[in-house]
Amino acid sequence: MNNRNRGKNTGDDAMFGSEKQIGKLRMAVQDMQYLLSRGYAEKASSELAGNRYRLKTRQIQAFRGASASEEQIRNRKLKQLQEAELKDKIVYLDGFNVVILLESLLSGAYLFEGTDGCFRDLSGVHGTYKRVSQTQKALELIAGFFRKAEVRKLIWIFDKPVSNSGRIKQMVLDFAVENKMNWEADLQFNPDQFLVDNAEISVSSDAWILDHCKAWFNLIGYLITEEKLDTNVVKLDDR
């Protein structure tokens, strides 16, 4: 059993656990949405808002991921599907994005609900992926969704350049065989572009994918609600 997890970093409770800090993050999201909606660049917008509220690097990372322009929010909502629309469909899943988010959630790390209703964390693969204690549970949750939504086929797409991507691909395939599920898994050098070009339905919270895909499903939001998961979610959209 692997004892690693993707839980909180030292200092996260101080940055994300109080109403005062959450209030500053929400105001930063509002400011950034205003700037993005008027054509300001994302990096410049996040720096302006972060400096205004004297936020730390991880706080800036959090509100930046939660922010979007008014046009982006409208566009993403128009393409968002509900569970009933997935029946008998082929669904493509952004492998590392979804698995790492679930591992973080199950580890008690902070997740941030953005203006588009998606959930994002502060983890990443950083060139290599390492299985953690919660990986098996993450696969089980995705399997439960696959069955309940009656998806015809689930195709996992992983980043080929990431070290150990072949191992997680094989783990997914082995899990599918053991549990008799119609899953496929593939490695791609540019998974984001692959999903946009090839998937009719994508599962991801990656902003670029959501902006350019044909249709998408909010799997993390679905699982939080459907499975009544215990989470440390910070809602950064105060509407």
Side-chain angles (χ1 to χ4, degrees):
M1 180 68 174
N2 199 318
N3 292 322
R4 286 189 295 258
N5 65 52
R6 301 190 192 280
K8 301 174 186 175
N9 277 19
T10 302
D12 278 359
D13 285 335
M15 287 187 284
F16 306 115
S18 72
E19 284 302 319
K20 179 180 179 181
Q21 295 301 321
I22 293 172
K24 290 199 297 183
L25 289 167
R26 286 174 176 166
M27 288 189 289
V29 167
Q30 290 177 4
D31 287 1
M32 189 162 173
Q33 180 175 325
Y34 178 90
L35 293 168
L36 291 174
S37 298
R38 283 151 184 79
Y40 284 77
E42 182 179 334
K43 187 173 186 295
S45 300
S46 64
E47 288 175 352
L48 279 170
N51 289 337
R52 179 181 183 187
Y53 299 107
R54 300 181 180 178
L55 300 176
K56 299 183 186 301
T57 300
R58 280 175 71 80
Q59 291 176 308
I60 293 172
Q61 183 184 350
F63 86 75
R64 182 174 177 173
S67 301
S69 70
E70 294 169 3
E71 182 179 357
Q72 285 175 310
I73 295 167
R74 283 195 300 269
N75 178 52
R76 293 174 192 177
K77 292 293 186 185
L78 284 172
K79 297 189 293 184
Q80 183 177 359
L81 302 180
Q82 301 304 311
E83 177 193 357
E85 298 174 276
L86 305 180
K87 185 177 180 180
D88 296 326
K89 298 293 197 306
I90 297 174
V91 175
Y92 285 72
L93 189 142
D94 185 2
F96 284 128
N97 177 273
V98 174
V99 168
I100 291 172
L101 259 172
L102 280 174
E103 291 170 345
S104 296
L105 183 158
L106 295 168
S107 299
Y110 284 101
L111 264 61
F112 305 91
E113 184 178 359
T115 53
D116 58 3
C118 277
F119 297 81
R120 298 175 177 90
D121 67 348
L122 299 176
S123 298
V125 291
H126 305 301
T128 186
Y129 172 81
K130 293 181 181 179
R131 179 177 179 172
V132 296
S133 303
Q134 295 77 17
T135 306
Q136 180 71 19
K137 178 62 175 177
L139 294 182
E140 291 169 1
L141 287 169
I142 295 169
F145 148 74
F146 176 79
R147 293 191 180 102
K148 289 177 184 177
E150 299 181 61
V151 173
R152 174 151 57 101
K153 181 189 292 185
L154 189 64
I155 303 176
W156 297 64
I157 304 298
F158 292 102
D159 304 53
K160 190 169 187 177
V162 172
S163 177
N164 293 327
S165 58
R167 291 184 182 180
I168 182 69
K169 171 191 171 184
Q170 192 58 51
M171 182 168 62
V172 164
L173 293 174
D174 291 344
F175 182 93
V177 170
E178 291 168 9
N179 293 277
K180 298 180 174 58
M181 291 181 298
N182 189 16
W183 288 6
E184 294 180 7
D186 193 15
L187 305 180
Q188 292 290 328
F189 281 105
N190 188 343
D192 293 3
Q193 189 68 58
F194 179 86
L195 288 168
V196 166
D197 292 343
N198 295 277
E200 291 297 324
I201 303 171
S202 297
V203 171
S204 180
S205 63
D206 181 275
W208 189 86
I209 292 175
L210 299 186
D211 286 337
H212 295 89
C213 69
K214 298 177 180 69
W216 65 283
F217 179 70
N218 187 351
L219 177 59
I220 304 300
Y222 167 87
L223 290 174
I224 288 173
T225 301
E226 187 74 14
E227 302 296 334
K228 298 178 174 61
L229 299 178
D230 185 21
T231 66
N232 280 320
V233 170
V234 179
K235 184 175 174 61
L236 293 183
D237 180 9
D238 62 357
R239 289 177 294 179

